[in-house]
Amino acid sequence: MEDKKVIAVVGATGSQGGGLVRAILNDKNSEFTVRAITRDPQSDKAKELAALGAEVVKGDIDDPESMREAFEGAYGAYLVTFFWHHMSPEKELNEARMLAEAVKDAGVHHVIWSTLEDTRKFIPLEDDRMPTLQEKYKVPHFDAKGEANKFFTDMGVPVTLLHTSFYWDNYINFGMAPKKGADGNLAITFPLGNEKMPSMAAEDIGKCAYGVFKRGEEMIGQDIGIAGEHVSGKEMADSFSNLLGKKVVYNDVPPEVYRNFGFPGADDLGNMFQFYRDFAEEFGRKRDIEFSRSLNPELQDFNTWVSRNKDRIQVEE
Ligand SMILES: NC(=O)c1ccc[n+]([C@@H]2O[C@H](COP(=O)([O-])OP(=O)(O)OC[C@H]3O[C@@H](n4cnc5c(N)ncnc54)[C@H](OP(=O)(O)O)[C@@H]3O)[C@@H](O)[C@H]2O)c1
């Protein structure tokens, strides 16, 4: 135990970080051990991680000193930010800069920054195929993460840039489960056209990240992407129909309709799905399935994920 290298995990009680914590601690022969960073070491989720064998420490991204302390002596760090907790790309940029400085100062040897594309490199602000949001962004929760890559690279942090994918868990946690429409059909609704969306089980992000840490040195300086499957709206609806035992259809809507659905962040997500649709080739090329499986041999495809989670998907009839 004493000889094991410590991986400090931001968001350890959440989806991405939690997957990494479990991947490391479930591998009894791992060369690594976990330092789980949480705002509340006494929470049930934090106690669960402690019971699995994690060192649990207090850290709050709004308290930079606490994060600096949390990285002291760590070999590795998994860094994620929490856009949907505040929905401010400026705040996310500041958080990422602070995290980059903190891991640099602590001398962490291998950092994984959980990132996404800066979509403005594909569709500049003046391109009116997609509205500009918050004056400076196309897809705010993507753009800030992509822009933040430079903090790590400019500071010379030994980083792997890990481009993640849409979680299928959004069907459970993010209000995206099939819903009954005006025509009486259960439907999933996205402005994806007929394009395939690289996407994955959230738990597999952590497992892939574990694969990156295991490969070690060779991954430093790499800019990689992961997905469990590239799957179209119709294919997802067909899987739901087959595996949930209820007919589900795919409802393709124009991005401007999705942007106006009225829930917080609908404009950001409408632009995101349009980006998936309009830049499907480039976005997919970055997220090779066989590469992802080489990092995580247990990688799930969509059917496997639905089969394992069907009791948790609350269809709204
Ligand atoms: N949903 C998707 O499809 C998707 C896909 C790709 C990327 N993403 C990105 O993933 C990110 C979120 O990651 P996630 O889904 O793993 O998060 P999550 O499941 O929402 O959980 C995040 C964890 O972070 C911790 N946390 C929240 N605020 C914190 C703070 N101020 N300081 C320290 N820790 C804090 C919380 O732990 P404690 O309560 O224990 O402190 C929480 O358990 C977002 O930026 C999102 O854009 C999402």
Side-chain angles (χ1 to χ4, degrees):
M1 174 83 186
E2 301 82 58
D3 298 336
K4 292 195 176 196
K5 298 187 257 188
V6 173
I7 306 286
V9 181
V10 178
T13 60
S15 302
Q16 296 189 29
L20 173 60
V21 172
R22 287 181 287 278
I24 296 173
L25 297 178
N26 288 336
D27 178 358
K28 295 302 163 210
N29 297 317
S30 181
E31 64 189 296
F32 302 113
T33 187
V34 168
R35 183 180 296 159
I37 304 172
T38 172
R39 291 167 299 177
D40 179 9
Q42 297 310 318
S43 72
D44 290 345
K45 284 183 175 176
K47 285 183 183 161
E48 269 174 41
L49 300 182
L52 275 178
E55 173 194 3
V56 177
V57 302
K58 194 170 160 63
D60 188 326
I61 220 165
D62 295 326
D63 173 5
E65 204 41 50
S66 71
M67 297 307 276
R68 283 172 195 279
E69 281 172 25
F71 296 128
E72 280 304 324
Y75 161 84
Y78 187 80
L79 306 182
V80 57
T81 42
F82 315 107
F83 180 87
W84 297 105
H85 291 215
H86 48 70
M87 295 169 66
S88 161
E90 262 76 35
K91 189 163 160 48
E92 188 164 44
L93 277 164
N94 286 333
E95 290 170 351
R97 188 194 290 108
M98 179 278 287
L99 290 172
E101 286 167 357
V103 290
K104 173 84 179 164
D105 291 350
V108 175
H109 296 278
H110 189 179
V111 172
I112 297 178
W113 164 235
S114 172
T115 191
L116 289 165
E117 278 78 355
D118 183 340
T119 64
R120 297 165 297 184
K121 292 184 178 161
F122 298 77
I123 179 158
L125 292 184
E126 57 276 15
D127 188 327
D128 59 12
R129 276 177 295 169
M130 185 188 281
T132 292
L133 303 177
Q134 303 187 41
E135 294 175 10
K136 284 197 270 185
Y137 304 95
K138 287 298 190 189
V139 184
H141 78 285
F142 271 53
D143 298 347
K145 290 180 183 68
E147 185 176 336
N149 294 350
K150 68 174 183 232
F151 300 136
F152 297 91
T153 50
D154 289 356
M155 283 181 217
V157 171
V159 70
T160 305
L161 301 175
L162 178 68
H163 290 75
T164 63
S165 289
F166 179 92
Y167 316 161
W168 296 322
D169 306 69
N170 294 330
Y171 286 118
I172 300 170
N173 304 323
F174 217 74
M176 290 185 180
K179 291 180 187 53
K180 194 164 260 187
D183 62 0
N185 284 322
L186 281 172
I188 52 170
T189 301
F190 303 111
L192 279 175
N194 296 320
E195 299 295 345
K196 289 179 186 280
M197 175 170 68
S199 40
M200 69 197 300
E203 191 75 8
D204 281 334
I205 297 177
K207 289 184 178 181
C208 288
Y210 181 36
V212 172
F213 281 125
K214 283 200 286 191
R215 285 193 192 176
E217 193 94 342
E218 67 180 272
M219 299 307 291
I220 292 172
Q222 289 209 34
D223 177 344
I224 61 172
I226 51 174
E229 188 176 352
H230 299 182
V231 62
S232 71
K234 179 168 185 323
E235 287 166 342
M236 288 191 279
D238 289 348
S239 294
F240 281 137
S241 299
N242 292 335
L243 295 163
L244 301 181
K246 295 169 189 195
K247 174 93 184 132
V248 176
V249 298
Y250 166 52
N251 183 19
D252 179 28
V253 289
E256 50 275 23
V257 170
Y258 196 98
R259 282 191 281 270
N260 288 304
F261 274 161
F263 62 84
D267 51 358
D268 189 334
L269 292 181
N271 280 8
M272 175 190 79
F273 287 119
Q274 183 179 348
F275 175 70
Y276 290 159
R277 187 193 71 180
D278 293 354
F279 298 91
E281 201 186 323
E282 296 95 315
F283 192 73
R285 204 184 308 127
K286 181 114 203 155
R287 290 162 171 79
D288 183 71
I289 306 304
E290 285 321 307
F291 170 70
S292 307
R293 186 164 289 113
S294 75
L295 292 170
N296 165 23
E298 296 169 2
L299 192 76
Q300 298 168 68
D301 61 15
F302 188 65
N303 277 331
T304 307
W305 181 84
V306 177
S307 303
R308 289 183 185 165
N309 291 280
K310 58 185 175 193
D311 296 340
R312 299 172 62 215
I313 300 166
Q314 299 293 325
V315 171
E316 291 178 28
E317 299 197 73

